[in-house]
Amino acid sequence: MKKNVCIFVWLLCLVLSVAAQEKFVKLKIVQTSDVHGNYYPYNFITRQEWEGSLARIYVFVQKEREQYKENLILLDNGDILQGQPTAYYYNYIDTISPHICSEMMNFMKYDAGNMGNHDVETGRNVFDRWIRICDFPVLGANIIDTSTGKTHLAPYKVLERDGVKIVVLGMITPAIPAWLSENLWSGLRFDDMEETARKWMKIIREKENPGLVIGLFHAGQEAFKMSGKYNENASLQVAKNVPGFDIVLMGHDHTRECKKIINVAGDSVLIIDPASNSVVFSNVDITLKLKDGKILHKDIQGVLTETKDYGVSEEFMKHFTSQYEAVQNFVSKKIGTFTESISARPAFFGPSAFIDLIHRIQLDITGADISFTAPLSFDAEIMKGEVYVSDMFNLYKYENMLYVMTLSGKEIKDYLEDSYYLCTNQMKSPNDHLLWFKEKLKEGAADRAALQNFSFNFDSAAGIIYTVDVTKPRGEKITIISMADSTPFRMEETYKVALNSYRGNGGGELLTKGAGIPQEKLKDRIIFSTDKDLRFYLMQYIEKKKIINPQALNQWKFIPEEWTVLGAKRDYDLLFKKGKEK
């Protein structure tokens, strides 16, 4: 009997000892990405309540912290400094106060951030100031200081939670030089993501010996070569080809995604992307089984969670009331009067007052011969009557500079050939689409979901008279009839062309693939650049004129009209049938 009792006690002790050596660690990862200034639950552009915001996400974060405590890890994946007037105001208007974005992220207790291309677009004065105020590291493993060869920012962040070492490696899309003027990122370079990931994964494995590795990549998943040299949207490629990542948090492409893939080593990697504007966020649950400090098993599950379901944090709103009021006062300033309402919708189907107002102002500011611009806002409207600062964020969505470049007549034609190739379907009958739609639609921003290419690359021209024959193939669509004043347009002549800095630096590849100008030669063509963003000059122009009568210039048209008029009506209904008529 005593012997049996001893055996039982011994077995019990053994079981308890083994059990004591095993434990489970639960982690929660929350990722925001492409917030684009949507900090408050209010859209300062449309002057309406807004479903996406950090103020809503904070409700979820605080609720989950009650359970997870320090095991909730909050990460941002870039493009948080641009978009809503809130960001613009603290980027360029009030540069004395602490940056609101830093203050809010500190308040929410972010564990790490990452750089996005639109954060770089704000310029070094802005993004360096933002980073200095943040209580957490903003990462950038492939952002290199050219003077030292070292990373400008921390490449990765090490977090320890319940005995588990977690490493977050941050990278940005390397295509910055193809979009942004060098003065905005002077002294920096942006290395290839896959090469960078291989380098740092080796260092992380040897130096940190992590239990969990998270990639925080401001890049989408459909990789392609931008301007023949920048591997754009390489997040999925890195996740597959560089073993070691457990999770890859994506951004940049504004497309919702949540899936698991198998990498080249046969391991599962969670891929998740919360699209844009804080409408959803990445919500990842991790359960780790440990024994003697070693991870035996990982269970990683992710979902995209709707922000609107969590209400608004009163604590957040109260803490940032004064900043809210400052931005409200800024956007409420009257700058002029429009005699007509204008909408971006008609810009997809022919000349429009909306786009041609930008053309007129670009030509007036620069004295250029020809202007290029695109519908940067997919579905924006400015009503006739008094016009306010808030309306300017509808009229012009991004903080681009205004350039004047020299282009030959042939380069101008080839540029437009590529622009309309990206925009239009090659019609075979009057029953075909006028616009080029995707065969399979993805959930995300409306313009990016429906159309084959980004609408912000659909440039039209002013200053010339031309037609676009949508029955013709790429390279044969454009016929330039004359200059707008009826003087001849000559292929061999050199013209001054006004366009934005995104396009002038190679964005959309209309100058490189289209006009055939090598990427490295683009800067040699720039003969003028504004020192402030174009929206600033648009506001100045309207304030000076006081009354604006926006009208379409009617300097180009789609042909054959008996086909394109029908196609335009059908495609308009397809694109905008869910919205009110404009």
Side-chain angles (χ1 to χ4, degrees):
M1 184 70 176
K2 287 183 179 179
K3 184 179 180 181
N4 289 338
V5 171
C6 288
I7 292 171
F8 174 77
V9 171
W10 178 79
L11 287 172
L12 180 61
C13 290
L14 182 62
V15 169
L16 291 173
S17 175
V18 170
Q21 292 170 14
E22 289 185 354
K23 73 171 183 176
F24 290 87
V25 174
K26 291 184 179 292
L27 304 169
K28 169 79 75 175
I29 310 292
V30 176
Q31 176 212 8
T32 55
S33 189
D34 298 86
V35 170
H36 287 292
N38 286 280
Y39 313 143
Y40 292 106
Y42 183 77
N43 188 325
F44 288 96
I45 301 172
T46 62
R47 309 284 193 93
Q48 294 175 339
E49 295 300 312
W50 179 237
E51 62 180 5
S53 71
L54 294 184
R56 294 185 188 276
I57 292 173
Y58 187 61
V59 175
F60 175 84
V61 168
Q62 287 298 84
K63 179 177 178 294
E64 294 298 306
R65 277 180 175 147
E66 292 176 7
Q67 175 185 347
Y68 286 91
K69 306 292 192 293
E70 293 299 313
N71 283 10
L72 186 146
I73 297 170
L74 182 58
L75 305 170
D76 181 75
N77 201 5
D79 277 8
I80 197 168
L81 288 182
Q82 178 276 338
Q84 277 285 319
T86 315
Y88 185 89
Y89 181 78
Y90 284 96
N91 287 345
Y92 307 112
I93 307 301
D94 182 357
T95 58
I96 303 300
S97 301
H99 201 291
I100 190 172
C101 184
S102 309
E103 295 283 281
M104 286 180 169
M105 295 178 82
N106 290 342
F107 180 82
M108 293 176 69
K109 297 181 180 177
Y110 272 83
D111 292 283
N114 195 33
M115 286 292 286
N117 54 294
H118 284 292
D119 303 320
V120 177
E121 184 183 37
T122 64
R124 290 201 60 169
N125 286 342
V126 175
F127 69 75
D128 282 341
R129 168 173 148 244
W130 164 59
I131 290 167
R132 278 196 305 271
I133 303 171
C134 289
D135 292 339
F136 51 87
V138 175
L139 306 176
N142 62 333
I143 304 176
I144 309 301
D145 189 316
T146 54
S147 64
T148 65
K150 297 179 180 179
T151 57
H152 179 64
L153 302 170
Y156 63 87
K157 170 69 173 176
V158 177
L159 302 164
E160 295 224 18
R161 300 291 188 269
D162 279 356
V164 177
K165 185 177 280 191
I166 304 148
V167 171
V168 182
L169 177 72
M171 292 194 292
I172 189 174
T173 171
I176 304 299
W179 301 323
L180 303 178
S181 174
E182 189 173 349
N183 68 295
L184 298 173
W185 46 271
S186 59
L188 304 175
R189 75 167 193 265
F190 305 88
D191 286 353
D192 180 79
M193 287 178 59
E194 187 170 337
E195 291 175 7
T196 301
R198 289 187 190 281
K199 170 188 170 181
W200 285 103
M201 184 61 76
K202 185 174 185 294
I203 293 169
I204 288 165
R205 288 295 183 199
E206 292 175 355
K207 182 180 177 182
E208 308 297 349
N209 190 28
L212 196 73
V213 179
I214 300 170
L216 188 61
F217 303 158
H218 190 83
Q221 66 174 316
E222 296 180 8
F224 66 97
K225 286 283 185 180
M226 169 75 70
S227 300
K229 60 192 297 188
Y230 306 111
N231 197 12
E232 171 69 348
N233 287 332
S235 291
L236 189 59
Q237 188 175 320
V238 173
K240 286 182 176 179
N241 296 340
V242 183
F245 291 102
D246 297 287
I247 305 166
V248 166
L249 305 174
M250 298 192 304
H252 181 59
D253 63 357
H254 292 203
T255 303
R256 298 185 190 191
E257 185 62 274
C258 184
K259 65 183 179 182
K260 287 190 177 180
I261 59 108
I262 303 298
N263 68 17
V264 293
D267 298 321
S268 173
V269 184
L270 175 67
I271 308 292
I272 191 164
D273 184 335
S276 62
N277 298 326
S278 302
V279 175
V280 300
F281 56 90
S282 301
N283 182 1
V284 181
D285 285 306
I286 303 168
T287 302
L288 305 173
K289 182 181 179 181
L290 285 75
K291 183 177 180 181
D292 296 330
K294 293 183 179 180
I295 296 176
L296 300 179
H297 179 72
K298 301 175 185 179
D299 181 63
I300 301 173
Q301 304 297 329
V303 294
L304 294 172
T305 300
E306 296 282 344
T307 307
K308 63 181 174 58
D309 297 336
Y310 290 92
V312 176
S313 168
E314 292 183 10
E315 180 190 6
F316 184 101
M317 294 301 294
K318 183 178 180 181
H319 193 87
F320 295 104
T321 297
S322 62
Q323 293 95 323
Y324 180 96
E325 291 172 350
V327 177
Q328 188 69 272
N329 290 336
F330 168 63
V331 300
S332 300
K333 178 186 175 185
K334 178 187 172 182
I335 58 173
T337 301
F338 279 11
T339 61
E340 301 290 338
S341 298
I342 58 174
S343 167
R345 291 183 176 186
F348 295 89
F349 309 102
S352 71
F354 190 100
I355 292 299
D356 287 349
L357 174 59
I358 299 172
H359 278 311
R360 289 175 193 269
I361 295 174
Q362 288 190 166
L363 291 170
D364 190 81
I365 290 172
T366 63
D369 305 307
I370 295 166
S371 168
F372 290 148
T373 197
L376 301 183
S377 296
F378 175 69
D379 187 13
E381 183 179 39
I382 301 174
M383 301 301 293
K384 71 176 181 180
E386 293 184 339
V387 175
Y388 302 90
V389 167
S390 59
D391 294 311
M392 295 299 97
F393 290 81
N394 262 333
L395 182 63
Y396 207 86
K397 187 173 182 179
Y398 302 109
E399 279 78 73
N400 298 317
M401 307 298 181
L402 177 60
Y403 283 179
V404 176
M405 301 180 73
T406 55
L407 272 70
S408 71
K410 184 178 185 307
E411 289 168 339
I412 289 166
K413 179 187 182 297
D414 291 345
Y415 178 108
L416 289 172
E417 288 283 4
D418 238 39
S419 176
Y420 285 98
Y421 164 74
L422 295 175
C423 174
T424 58
N425 178 42
Q426 187 179 351
M427 296 182 75
K428 304 294 186 183
S429 81
N431 298 318
D432 287 345
H433 288 298
L434 171 63
L435 302 180
W436 189 3
F437 288 92
K438 288 182 178 178
E439 291 183 12
K440 294 182 180 180
L441 303 185
K442 290 185 177 180
E443 190 176 8
D447 56 338
R448 301 183 184 210
L451 299 170
Q452 180 66 30
N453 295 294
F454 296 141
S455 58
F456 54 71
N457 288 328
F458 299 169
D459 274 21
S460 64
I464 53 175
I465 307 297
Y466 64 100
T467 60
V468 184
D469 189 336
V470 296
T471 67
K472 301 293 187 183
R474 183 179 193 174
E476 300 177 22
K477 294 177 181 289
I478 306 299
T479 299
I480 302 177
I481 299 165
S482 70
M483 299 298 292
D485 62 3
S486 300
T487 58
F489 176 86
R490 304 184 191 281
M491 291 292 178
E492 67 279 5
E493 192 164 329
T494 298
Y495 296 94
K496 293 184 294 182
V497 180
L499 72 179
N500 68 45
S501 55
Y502 170 80
R503 191 73 73 236
N505 290 307
E509 300 185 292
L510 299 183
L511 285 169
T512 51
K513 280 187 178 179
I517 304 170
Q519 177 74 39
E520 62 274 12
K521 299 290 186 181
L522 291 178
K523 62 183 178 182
D524 299 333
R525 301 294 192 96
I526 302 168
I527 59 174
F528 168 81
S529 172
T530 58
D531 58 355
K532 297 183 184 297
D533 66 278
L534 182 50
R535 190 187 298 121
F536 172 85
Y537 295 99
L538 295 175
M539 289 191 284
Q540 254 193 354
Y541 180 92
I542 294 168
E543 280 190 291
K544 182 180 177 182
K545 295 286 185 181
K546 294 185 174 58
I547 297 176
I548 302 292
N549 181 27
Q551 300 291 330
L553 291 167
N554 294 316
Q555 294 179 352
W556 68 275
K557 64 181 177 180
F558 286 125
I559 60 171
E561 290 183 85
E562 61 270 22
W563 287 17
T564 59
V565 170
L566 294 173
K569 184 180 185 307
R570 284 194 305 273
D571 289 358
Y572 183 99
D573 290 342
L574 182 61
L575 275 179
F576 303 115
K577 62 185 178 182
K578 291 182 180 180
K580 63 181 182 179
E581 291 299 317
K582 293 187 181 182

